[in-house]
Amino acid sequence: MHKVLVAAGLAVSLSACASTYVGKPYDRAAANVQSIGIADDALPEKATASEVASVGSNFGLVGALANAAIQQSREKAINDALAGAGFDAEARLEQRVITSLDAQGYRAKVEQNAVRQKRVYLASYNSAGDKPDAYLDIVVTNYGYLSAGVGQPWRPTVAATVRLVSASDSSKVLMENQIVYNGMYPQKGVITLSANPEYAFLDREDMLADPARLAGGIEDALNKVADTAVGLLR
């Protein structure tokens, strides 16, 4: 009985510790933003290919090392295939953001910023020529393909944080949120997008057999994230 009470108390404690993400909603009328500079260098250099529950996970350090080697080999093959297909994830995302912002009535252009040392928001924003009213900083912390485990399909995944800051005062955040496309562990408060079943692959061989479709899956996921991010600025 004592063990049951301890377990129940632990469960309550853990649930109390779980926090819900709370973004900052956008007030378009109050912000009075007409032009937006899009922060550059939003994506990591390489796509990932992660299997959440793998065979080696049950074999300690040896299994972990084997898994790491398999993942590294898989990611290299996938990134080589994407490069061979001429896929530029950064360019595709930036173009989609511009198109979506234009559709919402904003004037938008990409700003050339310093290369990010980490996948975090830029500390400062630079503009060449006319300064925009605000900067949209979309930080993709991860993109690529994800499988729930051995024998499970591989689907595109993207995780991003996004914020809009005033150009006159970068400490003034006008909007902030998090967006996850096909994440394995949904978090309360985070905008969660479902994977498009059109881009599900059986295994590594299936992904590498059609590089154009492989790239199409990531592009589709990035488009959904870009449209969702811009949709927060309506």
Side-chain angles (χ1 to χ4, degrees), residues 4-225:
V4 172
L5 290 175
V6 170
L10 179 59
V12 171
S13 175
L14 289 174
S15 63
C17 291
S19 60
T20 299
Y21 173 78
V22 179
K24 180 177 177 58
Y26 182 62
D27 186 337
R28 185 166 185 172
N32 193 28
V33 170
Q34 307 300 325
S35 59
I36 294 177
I38 302 165
D40 195 17
D41 188 36
L43 278 75
E45 292 183 2
K46 302 292 184 181
T48 61
S50 302
E51 189 175 71
V52 175
S54 56
V55 174
S57 60
N58 296 321
F59 296 94
L61 178 60
V62 173
L65 292 173
N67 286 340
I70 292 171
Q71 179 168 328
Q72 185 177 28
S73 172
R74 181 170 55 227
E75 289 183 354
K76 182 181 185 305
I78 286 176
N79 279 286
D80 286 348
L82 291 172
F87 181 68
D88 185 337
E90 180 83 30
R92 302 296 175 90
L93 176 67
E94 290 174 350
Q95 185 55 55
R96 184 67 173 217
V97 172
I98 290 174
T99 301
S100 294
L101 285 171
D102 286 345
Q104 292 294 336
Y106 293 103
R107 300 189 305 276
K109 68 173 183 176
V110 176
E111 304 290 349
Q112 300 300 314
N113 300 291
V115 176
R116 302 175 197 263
Q117 295 304 309
K118 297 180 181 179
R119 290 297 131 194
V120 296
Y121 293 127
L122 287 168
S124 61
Y125 302 89
N126 303 314
S127 288
D130 295 335
K131 196 172 188 178
D133 297 324
Y135 294 99
L136 179 62
D137 198 348
I138 299 178
V139 181
V140 175
T141 54
N142 176 64
Y143 77 97
Y145 277 84
L146 177 70
S147 169
V150 178
Q152 297 300 310
W154 289 82
R155 297 184 177 91
T157 183
V158 177
T161 57
V162 54
R163 75 175 182 181
L164 185 75
V165 300
S166 170
S168 59
D169 180 4
S170 60
S171 66
K172 184 178 181 180
V173 178
L174 304 174
M175 179 279 292
E176 187 166 10
N177 222 309
Q178 295 182 10
I179 304 168
V180 174
Y181 179 100
N182 185 35
M184 186 54 63
Y185 305 108
Q187 182 183 348
K188 290 183 178 180
V190 173
I191 299 172
T192 303
L193 307 176
S194 299
N196 185 342
E198 183 178 341
Y199 296 103
F201 295 85
L202 298 176
D203 48 32
R204 167 176 166 163
E205 287 69 28
D206 191 25
M207 288 190 282
L208 297 179
D210 192 347
R213 182 166 164 257
L214 179 72
I218 294 179
E219 181 172 6
D220 180 70
L222 290 172
N223 285 346
K224 297 293 195 308
V225 170

